[in-house]
C-alpha cells in the first residue's frame, strides 16, 4: 500500500500540498521520424535534428479523448490502491473536443459508479495546452481552501495532437497523465510562487469544429511561446524575490531542473538558452565578464527584438549547453519519443525527469516548470521535492512507479509512414461520424487500455477495456497482488464495458 499519509491526521492548514502520484499513458503505436522525413520528402535531419524528435505516438480510430482519460485514470487508481470514494475533486484539462457540451469528466464518472461516490467536484478546463496546468492549479487551490473536505483531488490531462499534412504534422503526438493531489506530497507546489502571462493572439487555434486539425501560424506560435516564457520568468523571479528577500536573485542557478511544455524538443533547448539570456540581461554589470565570458557584445540587446535573432540564439545555446544537459534534457525522454501530447506534455516532462533520477538524487530538489497554451495562457511555477527518502515514502513509491517508462516506450509497435498516413486519413474521414464502428486493431493496444467500440446513431460512445494482464502495479503497492489475481482470472467475458 503506498504510504500516503492519512488526511484524517490533518488539523488546520494542509501542509505540503502537491502531487502524490503521477501516471502517464501514451499510445502503443509510433512512427519513426527519420522514416517520416524520407516519406514526406523533406531533407534528412529536418525532423530529427531540426525539431529534435525521434518518434511520434499516434492513435487509431479505437482511441479518443474519453478513452485516453479512462485509461490513465484507472491506471492511477489501480496502481496506487486508491479507492474512488476517496476522491473529492476531479479536474480534466484537454483541448481535444468531441462534444461541445458533455465533459470528459462526466464520462470518467463511470469509473466511480461501483464506489457509489458522486460527490466529486470539478469539470473540464480548456485553453490549448494549458488546460492541464489550470486543472492542477484548481486542484491545489481546492485542497488549500475552506471547501476542502479532506479527500484527494485528481487531475487528468489528455490530448490527441494531430495536424494536417505539411510542416506541422511531425510535431504531433498523443497521451494522457493523471495526478493524485493532496497534502504531504512528495512533489510540493511552492506557495505564492506562480508567474503567469495571458493575452489575446491567434497563433494556434481550432475554429473548424468539424476537424481535429488546428489552424496554426507556426512562426508566430514560436514567438508567442518565447515571449510568454520571458514574461513568466520575469514575474516568477519578481515574486521569488518578494517572498524570499534574503535569497540570491532568481536565475538558473537557483533551480535544479527546468521542465517545459514541449511542442518539439529543439524549442525546449532554445527556451533554456532564452532563460540564460534573461539571466545575462539581469546580471549586475560588474559580474558579466566573469559569469558570461565573451558575451559582452549582447548586453545592449532587448528581449523583444531577439525572438529570431540567430546570433543571440547560437551564443546562449552554446553558453547554456551544460545547463541544458543537466537540468532539462532528462525531462525530454517522453517528448522526443512520443511527440507533443498538448496538455499532458509538461507533466510527461516531469515524469521523464523523475524516471531518470533516484530517490536520493531527487530529495530536496527544486524544479521550475513552464506551461504554455496557445491563444495564449502561460504560467511558470515551481515544485520542491520532499526530503522523505524512506523506502515506504510517497517519494520512493513515485520514483519506483515511473522506472518502467523507458521499457514501456521501447515495447511500442513501430508503424510504417504509409500506414501512419492511412490511419490519419481514417481518423480524418470518420471524425464525428455516427453511427460508426471503429476498425483499428484492439490487439495492438497495451493491456489495460480503454478503447472505443461503437458510436451509435445518437453519437453516444461505448468503450471497453483490454484485460490488465501484464501491467505491473506500482512497486510496494497492494495493487500488485490484486492485479496479478485479476490477470489470472480475466477472460474475454470479464472485459469491462462502459457506455456514454
Ligand atoms: N537538418 C537539420 N536541421 C534542419 C534541416 C535538416 N536537413 N532542415 C531544416 N532544419 C531545421 C531548420 O533550420 C529549423 O531549425 P531552426 O529554427 O533552429 O533554424 C528546424 O529544422 C525546422 O525547420 P523549419 O523552420 O523550416 O520548419 P517549418 O517552418 O517547416 O515548421 C514548425 C516548423 C513551425 C514548428 C511547424 O512544425 C509547426 O507549425 N508546428 C506546430 C506549431 C508548434 O509546435 N509551435 C510551437 C510553439 S506553440 C505551442 O507550444 C503550443 C503547441 O503545443 C502547439
Amino acid at each position: 500500500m503506498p504510504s500516503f499519509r492519512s488526511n484524517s491526521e490533518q488539523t488546520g492548514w494542509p501542509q505540503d500540498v502537491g502531487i502524490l502520484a503521477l501516471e502517464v499513458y501514451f499510445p502503443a503505436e509510433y512512427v519513426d521520424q527519420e522514416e517520416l522525413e524520407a516519406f514526406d520528402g523533406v531533407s534528412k535531419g529536418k525532423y530529427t535534428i531540426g525539431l529534435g524528435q525521434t518518434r511520434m505516438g499516434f492513435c487509431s480510430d479505437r482511441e479518443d479523448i474519453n478513452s485516453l482519460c479512462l485509461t490513465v485514470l484507472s491506471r492511477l487508481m489501480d496502481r496506487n490502491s486508491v479507492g474512488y470514494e476517496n476522491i473529492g475533486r476531479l479536474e480534466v484539462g484537454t483541448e481535444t473536443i468531441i462534444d461541445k457540451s458533455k465533459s470528459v469528466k462526466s464520462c470518467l464518472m463511470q469509473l466511480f459508479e461501483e464506489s457509489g461516490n458522486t460527490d466529486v467536484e470539478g469539470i473540464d478546463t480548456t485553453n490549448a495546452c494549458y488546460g492541464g496546468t489550470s486543472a492542477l492549479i484548481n486542484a491545489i487551490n481546492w485542497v488549500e481552501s475552506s471547501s476542502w473536505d479532506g479527500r484527494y483531488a485528481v487531475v487528468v490531462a489528455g490530448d490527441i495532437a494531430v495536424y494536417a499534412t505539411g510542416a506541422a504534422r511531425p510535431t504531433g503526438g498523443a497521451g494522457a497523465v493523471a495526478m493524485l493531489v493532496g497534502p504531504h506530497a512528495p512533489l510540493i507546489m511552492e506557495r505564492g510562487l506562480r508567474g503567469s502571462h495571458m493575452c489575446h493572439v491567434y497563433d494556434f487555434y481550432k475554429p473548424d469544429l468539424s476537424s481535429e486539425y488546428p489552424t496554426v501560424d507556426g512562426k508566430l506560435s514560436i514567438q508567442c511561446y518565447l515571449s510568454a516564457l520571458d514574461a513568466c520568468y520575469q514575474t516568477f523571479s519578481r515574486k521569488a524575490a518578494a517572498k524570499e528577500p534574503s535569497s540570491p536573485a532568481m536565475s538558473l542557478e537557483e533551480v535544479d531542473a527546468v521542465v517545459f511544455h514541449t511542442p518539439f524538443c529543439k524549442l525546449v533547448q532554445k527556451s533554456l538558452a532564452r532563460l540564460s539570456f534573461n539571466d545575462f540581461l539581469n546580471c549586475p554589470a560588474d559580474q558579466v565578464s566573469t559569469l558570461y565570458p565573451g558575451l559582452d557584445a549582447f548586453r545592449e540587446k532587448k528581449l523583444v527584438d531577439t525572438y529570431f535573432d540567430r546570433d543571440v540564439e547560437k551564443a546562449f545555446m552554446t553558453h547554456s549547453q551544460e545547463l541544458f544537459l543537466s537540468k532539462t534534457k532528462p525531462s525530454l525522454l517522453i517528448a522526443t519519443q512520443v511527440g507533443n501530447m498538448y496538455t499532458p506534455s509538461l507533466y510527461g516532462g516531469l515524469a521523464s525527469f523523475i524516471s531518470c533520477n533516484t530517490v536520493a538524487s531527487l530529495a530536496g530538489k527544486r524544479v521550475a516548470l513552464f506551461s504554455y497554451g496557445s491563444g495564449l495562457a502561460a504560467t511558470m511555477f515551481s515544485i520542491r521535492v520532499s526530503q522523505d527518502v524512506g523506502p515506504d515514502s510517497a517519494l520512493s513509491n513515485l520514483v519506483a512507479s515511473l522506472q518502467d517508462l523507458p521499457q514501456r516506450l521501447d515495447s511500442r509497435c513501430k508503424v510504417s509512414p504509409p500506414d501512419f498516413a492511412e490511419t490519419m486519413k481514417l481518423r480524418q474521414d470518420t471524425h464525428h461520424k455516427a453511427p460508426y464502428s471503429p476498425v483499428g486493431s484492439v490487439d495492438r493496444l497495451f493491456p489495460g487500455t480503454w478503447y472505443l467500440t461503437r458510436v451509435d446513431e445518437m453519437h453516444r460512445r461505448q468503450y471497453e477495456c483490454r484485460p490488465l494482464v501484464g501491467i505491473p502495479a506500482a512497486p510496494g503497492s497492494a495493487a500488485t497482488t490484486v492485479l496479478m489475481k485479476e490477470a489470472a482470472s480475466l477472460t474475454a467475458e470479464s472485459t469491462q464495458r462502459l457506455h456514454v
Side-chain angles (χ1 to χ4, degrees):
M1 182 74 184
S3 317
F4 303 136
R5 272 166 63 188
S6 160
N7 291 335
S8 59
E9 290 170 22
Q10 190 65 53
T11 51
W13 192 262
Q15 291 301 307
D16 296 341
V17 178
I19 301 165
L20 289 152
L22 172 56
E23 193 60 60
V24 187
Y25 169 75
F26 40 78
E29 290 181 307
Y30 73 89
V31 61
D32 181 88
Q33 292 276 11
E34 203 174 332
E35 292 178 11
L36 202 56
E37 286 167 356
F39 178 73
D40 288 349
V42 301
S43 58
K44 191 170 165 52
K46 179 169 181 186
Y47 302 163
T48 47
I49 300 166
L51 298 175
Q53 296 303 118
T54 51
R55 295 171 173 181
M56 176 166 56
F58 67 97
C59 301
S60 77
D61 62 347
R62 283 290 177 189
E63 292 185 275
D64 63 15
I65 186 57
N66 289 340
S67 74
L68 291 186
C69 292
L70 283 164
T71 301
V72 80
L73 175 59
S74 54
R75 215 181 133 96
L76 176 85
M77 300 298 279
D78 290 347
R79 297 222 310 158
N80 291 283
S81 302
V82 178
Y84 285 91
E85 66 282 4
N86 296 318
I87 306 303
R89 191 172 184 100
L90 171 61
E91 295 265 350
V92 176
T94 185
E95 60 168 293
T96 306
I97 309 298
I98 51 172
D99 192 295
K100 283 179 268 177
S101 172
K102 188 169 161 47
S103 63
V104 174
K105 188 278 181 77
S106 63
C107 172
L108 297 180
M109 286 309 295
Q110 292 169 106
L111 295 174
F112 288 69
E113 279 170 12
E114 207 177 308
S115 73
N117 178 18
T118 58
D119 177 22
V120 186
E121 291 184 2
I123 214 74
D124 295 4
T125 299
T126 297
N127 187 90
C129 309
Y130 186 78
T133 296
S134 190
L136 179 61
I137 289 173
N138 288 347
I140 300 266
N141 287 352
W142 177 70
V143 175
E144 293 190 341
S145 77
S146 63
S147 304
W148 186 50
D149 65 5
R151 292 182 294 165
Y152 299 115
V154 171
V155 172
V156 176
D159 275 306
I160 296 174
V162 281
Y163 292 90
T165 49
R169 179 158 277 190
T171 60
V177 299
M179 295 176 271
L180 189 70
V181 171
H184 312 304
L187 303 180
I188 305 154
M189 174 93 85
E190 286 196 286
R191 275 191 178 146
L193 202 45
R194 295 200 288 252
S196 291
H197 176 71
M198 312 232 169
C199 61
H200 169 60
V201 64
Y202 281 114
D203 61 329
F204 165 114
Y205 48 109
K206 293 180 178 167
D208 181 356
L209 296 175
S210 66
S211 168
E212 279 199 292
Y213 302 144
T215 300
V216 196
D217 183 334
K219 197 169 177 204
L220 178 63
S221 74
I222 292 169
Q223 180 175 331
C224 289
Y225 181 106
L226 294 174
S227 64
L229 178 64
D230 290 342
C232 288
Y233 190 50
Q234 283 162 20
T235 306
F236 179 84
S237 303
R238 202 175 58 243
K239 289 186 180 177
K243 192 167 177 250
E244 295 156 8
S246 56
S247 298
M250 179 54 64
S251 75
L252 289 172
E253 294 304 318
E254 299 307 304
V255 292
D256 300 292
V258 195
V259 182
F260 297 84
H261 166 63
T262 308
F264 53 94
C265 294
K266 192 64 172 288
L267 183 60
V268 166
Q269 187 167 2
K270 290 183 182 186
S271 296
L272 191 83
R274 187 81 193 165
L275 295 184
S276 168
F277 179 50
N278 271 263
D279 286 353
F280 164 79
L281 294 179
N282 292 336
C283 180
D286 60 343
Q287 294 174 27
V288 167
S289 52
T290 319
L291 297 177
Y292 299 91
L295 295 174
D296 301 61
F298 298 104
R299 204 56 184 165
E300 298 309 314
K301 294 276 184 184
K302 302 239 170 345
L303 287 171
V304 286
D305 301 330
T306 51
Y307 300 122
F308 299 104
D309 184 321
R310 293 289 181 192
D311 296 333
V312 169
E313 186 181 286
K314 196 165 167 240
F316 285 89
M317 277 179 80
T318 305
H319 179 77
S320 61
Q321 173 72 8
E322 289 300 316
L323 286 177
F324 170 72
L325 293 177
S326 62
K327 298 194 179 190
T328 294
K329 194 162 184 240
S331 68
L332 297 178
L333 173 72
I334 295 177
T336 186
Q337 294 219 37
V338 177
N340 193 355
M341 303 195 291
Y342 289 166
T343 51
S345 167
L346 178 65
Y347 304 96
L350 182 60
S352 298
F353 166 70
I354 293 168
S355 78
C356 295
N357 274 284
T358 60
V359 176
S361 66
L362 284 169
K365 289 267 159 46
R366 187 187 205 187
V367 184
L369 297 100
F370 174 65
S371 179
Y372 177 80
S374 290
L376 64 81
T379 296
M380 181 171 279
F381 61 101
S382 55
I383 278 174
R384 281 263 183 212
V385 182
S386 90
Q387 303 269 12
D388 186 358
V389 296
D392 294 326
S393 65
L395 178 60
S396 295
N397 284 321
L398 177 72
V399 173
S401 74
L402 294 168
Q403 291 302 304
D404 63 350
L405 272 181
Q407 194 187 322
R408 283 171 57 202
L409 287 163
D410 287 348
S411 68
R412 293 175 299 163
C413 174
K414 186 167 88 165
V415 170
S416 71
D419 288 350
F420 160 72
E422 209 168 285
T423 302
M424 290 298 102
K425 176 88 171 52
L426 174 72
R427 285 191 71 90
Q428 186 178 319
D429 293 345
T430 60
H431 183 60
H432 278 312
K433 204 170 164 196
Y436 180 62
S437 296
V439 296
S441 162
V442 171
D443 295 340
R444 285 193 180 180
L445 301 171
F446 286 127
T449 302
W450 288 92
Y451 58 92
L452 182 67
T453 55
R454 178 149 173 80
V455 183
D456 75 11
E457 57 293 341
M458 286 181 70
H459 290 265
R460 291 174 300 196
R461 289 167 181 257
Q462 299 169 4
Y463 301 90
E464 292 186 8
C465 180
R466 269 206 80 193
L468 276 166
V469 182
I471 288 207
S477 155
T480 310
T481 330
V482 175
L483 291 185
M484 286 176 70
K485 278 190 196 148
E486 267 183 44
S489 64
L490 270 169
T491 63
E493 290 73 43
S494 68
T495 301
Q496 289 167 272
R497 278 172 212 284
L498 286 187
H499 303 270
V500 295

